[in-house]
């Protein structure tokens, strides 16, 4: 999980031809081409991220722009990046010595509660979707519910949230449970027909931050063949502003112990966090983490698993569970569950039972006011 696309937006408004945005010389970021090469990085899920304040506003547009900049990275630096959408494509990139570049959409608000948008993002290359970011969607609860900062709305997943999970299974989109509440974690792990990932989360037993994964959920991760990719952000590693590479290795050790070696991966979160452990300051430092695991008597097979094989196994299982012959999910979210005072209501006709949900009349009145 790498947030370089967010840096490209905030620093250059996605203008890759700005000479300061040259990825071979880019400064003041955790990621650039020389650092990727020094770290022997063979693949990244580039995050198509847009903040929660875009929800009910321009989240879809902003997400499309971030997907676009990832595609343009691959086009502008074809000798370094290979944009891929399959597990086979990742292996091809490895063979060609390029960085396999995949798109992860970080936050369910990016689909604006639309199965049609979910499908469209899949066609544009999205291969994982994080069900929430740091805010509830109308259909799934986020981790701040467990901290008491947000109120539970869906008690995990609403009925529409369950439809989103089923449609992701049908399409072959990896479900990402980083950032979600424990109730959402458990509901999704029980419902999904394919393994899921936590793309950048650590172990709650070692750092009691609600962004991390508790042991009872790690046991479900083991039972479902799922994957926890450890986050390097100091606040999730040590629960303080300071952390070390050794403490990151402790999280990897703990997840391996509780969920098994097949459940461990590297989550990173480079260019998406403000503080990183001493010894893991940027993407060039991955070999030092490998050296630490070797000192801890991890086997070569276990390390290869954490580096790539575990993610490839999950991705292949997601691909195998997909079913293009199955009819797509079509039932839209009830109108009264949508926020946003100036939404149009096309499709929610008076003849539809959806229209006669509690709150639909109020939504209609608000829309009328917006049109005045």
């Amino acid at each position: 999980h790498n947030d370089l696309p967010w840096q490209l937006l905030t620093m250059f408004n996605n203008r890759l031809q700005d000479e300061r945005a040259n990825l071979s010389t880019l400064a003041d970021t955790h990621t650039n081409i020389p650092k990727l090469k020094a770290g022997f990085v063979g693949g990244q899920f580039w995050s198509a991220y847009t903040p929660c304040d875009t929800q009910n506003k321009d989240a879809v547009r902003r997400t499309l722009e971030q997907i676009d900049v990832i595609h343009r990275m691959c086009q502008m630096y074809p000798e370094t990046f290979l944009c891929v959408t399959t597990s086979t494509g990742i292996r091809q990139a490895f063979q060609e010595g390029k960085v396999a570049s995949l798109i992860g959409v970080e936050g369910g608000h990016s689909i604006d509660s639309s199965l049609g948008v979910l499908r469209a993002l899949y066609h544009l290359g999205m291969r994982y979707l994080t069900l929430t970011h740091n805010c509830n969607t109308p259909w799934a609860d986020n981790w701040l519910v467990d901290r008491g900062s947000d109120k539970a709305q869906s008690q995990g997943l609403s009925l529409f949230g369950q439809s989103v999970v089923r449609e992701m299974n049908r399409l072959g989109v990896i479900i990402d449970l980083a950032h979600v509440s424990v109730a959402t974690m458990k509901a999704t792990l029980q419902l999904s027909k394919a393994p899921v990932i936590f793309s950048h989360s650590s172990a709650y037993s070692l750092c009691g931050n609600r962004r991390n994964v508790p042991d009872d959920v790690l046991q479900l991760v083991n039972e479902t063949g799922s994957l926890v990719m450890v986050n390097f952000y100091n606040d999730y590693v040590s629960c303080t502003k300071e952390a070390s590479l050794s403490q990151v290795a402790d999280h990897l050790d703990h997840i391996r112990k509780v969920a098994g070696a097949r459940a461990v991966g590297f989550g990173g979160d480079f260019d998406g966090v403000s503080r990183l452990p001493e010894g893991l300051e940027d993407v060039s430092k991955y070999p030092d983490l490998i050296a630490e695991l070797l000192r801890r008597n991890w086997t070569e097979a276990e390390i290869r698993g954490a580096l790539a094989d575990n993610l490839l196994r999950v991705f292949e299982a997601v691909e195998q569970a997909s079913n293009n012959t199955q009819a797509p999910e079509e039932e839209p979210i009830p109108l009264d569950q949508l926020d946003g005072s100036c939404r149009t209501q096309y499709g929610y006709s008076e003849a539809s039972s959806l229209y006669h949900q509690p709150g639909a009349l109020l939504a209609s009145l608000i829309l009328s006011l917006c049109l005045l």
Side-chain angles (χ1 to χ4, degrees):
H1 177 93
N2 190 303
D3 278 291
L4 179 62
W6 176 248
Q7 299 299 328
L8 296 174
L9 171 63
T10 56
M11 296 170 72
F12 311 112
N13 206 4
N14 285 342
R15 291 172 292 184
L16 296 185
Q17 295 180 55
D18 186 318
E19 61 181 19
R20 298 169 301 163
N22 187 320
L23 295 188
S24 296
T25 56
L26 181 63
D28 303 319
T29 56
H30 305 144
T31 310
N32 62 24
I33 289 173
K35 290 174 182 176
L36 287 166
K37 290 181 177 177
F40 297 95
V41 175
Q44 298 278 257
F45 270 98
W46 302 110
S47 178
Y49 162 69
T50 186
C52 279
D53 62 3
T54 64
Q55 184 161 212
N56 302 311
K57 297 177 185 175
D58 55 352
V60 175
R61 173 201 155 180
R62 290 294 193 173
T63 302
L64 293 174
E65 290 174 343
Q66 294 312 101
I67 289 174
D68 167 72
V69 83
I70 295 167
H71 283 301
R72 288 191 289 121
M73 279 172 51
C74 293
Q75 293 163 1
M76 197 162 182
Y77 302 94
E79 70 289 346
T80 300
F81 304 119
L82 182 64
C83 273
V84 300
T85 57
T86 64
S87 58
T88 301
I90 296 175
R91 297 181 190 278
Q92 178 187 344
F94 289 171
Q95 292 172 356
E96 296 182 13
K98 297 179 181 179
V99 179
S101 296
L102 299 103
I103 297 170
V105 171
E106 187 178 11
H109 59 281
S110 285
I111 69 168
D112 198 22
S113 299
S114 167
L115 296 167
V117 172
L118 174 68
R119 288 186 283 269
L121 295 183
Y122 169 80
H123 292 308
L124 291 173
M126 174 187 72
R127 286 303 179 268
Y128 80 61
L129 174 67
T130 317
L131 295 189
T132 71
H133 194 248
N134 298 336
C135 53
N136 292 339
T137 65
W139 43 271
D141 292 337
N142 85 105
W143 68 282
L144 294 171
V145 167
D146 296 331
R147 201 174 73 174
S149 305
D150 280 354
K151 291 183 178 180
Q153 292 176 236
S154 301
Q155 316 309 318
L157 290 172
S158 72
L159 289 175
F160 182 79
Q162 294 172 31
S163 295
V164 171
V165 167
R166 288 193 297 268
E167 187 65 358
M168 290 173 71
N169 283 168
R170 188 192 70 83
L171 288 167
V173 177
I174 302 169
I175 296 164
D176 176 23
L177 297 181
H179 287 278
V180 307
S181 71
V182 169
T184 307
M185 294 177 193
K186 291 180 177 178
T188 306
L189 282 161
Q190 290 167 3
L191 177 62
S192 178
K193 293 182 179 179
V196 308
I197 66 170
F198 293 76
S199 67
H200 54 304
S201 298
S202 299
Y204 184 81
S205 286
L206 299 188
C207 169
N209 189 297
R210 290 295 185 177
R211 266 286 281 109
N212 290 336
V213 188
D215 282 0
D216 59 339
V217 175
L218 288 178
Q219 291 166 1
L220 291 173
V221 166
N222 172 268
E223 293 168 12
T224 56
S226 295
L227 177 65
V228 178
M229 306 172 81
V230 170
N231 194 312
F232 297 171
Y233 182 39
N234 290 357
D235 297 46
Y236 304 156
V237 172
S238 67
C239 282
T240 67
K241 292 184 178 180
E242 305 295 330
S244 67
L245 178 151
S246 178
Q247 288 174 306
V248 172
D250 291 343
H251 282 267
L252 291 160
D253 274 342
H254 183 82
I255 294 167
R256 182 182 65 156
K257 177 183 176 182
V258 177
R262 284 161 50 89
V264 186
F266 297 136
D269 212 0
F270 287 113
D271 284 306
V273 296
S274 55
R275 293 182 287 273
L276 286 161
E278 183 178 355
L280 280 174
E281 293 83 3
D282 58 54
V283 295
S284 72
K285 303 295 186 179
Y286 279 110
D288 296 333
L289 183 55
I290 302 307
E292 175 65 19
L293 296 181
L294 287 169
R295 280 192 289 272
R296 295 180 181 218
N297 295 316
W298 282 50
T299 67
E300 181 176 331
E302 288 172 337
I303 290 173
R304 291 175 69 91
L307 281 167
D309 288 350
N310 293 343
L311 185 279
L312 284 166
R313 172 186 59 77
V314 169
F315 197 2
E316 288 166 355
V318 169
E319 291 170 331
Q320 290 165 7
S322 67
N323 186 355
N324 290 329
T325 64
Q326 180 183 336
E329 295 280 330
E330 285 191 334
E331 195 67 24
I333 191 168
L335 180 60
D336 66 294
Q337 293 179 17
L338 290 173
D339 294 321
S341 60
C342 291
R343 287 183 183 276
T344 57
Q345 298 178 18
Y346 302 119
Y348 290 96
S349 69
E350 291 189 28
S352 170
S353 61
L354 286 166
Y355 187 81
H356 295 290
Q357 297 281 347
L361 178 59
L362 176 61
S364 177
L365 290 171
I366 291 172
L367 176 64
S368 298
L369 290 172
C370 288
L371 295 174
L372 292 177

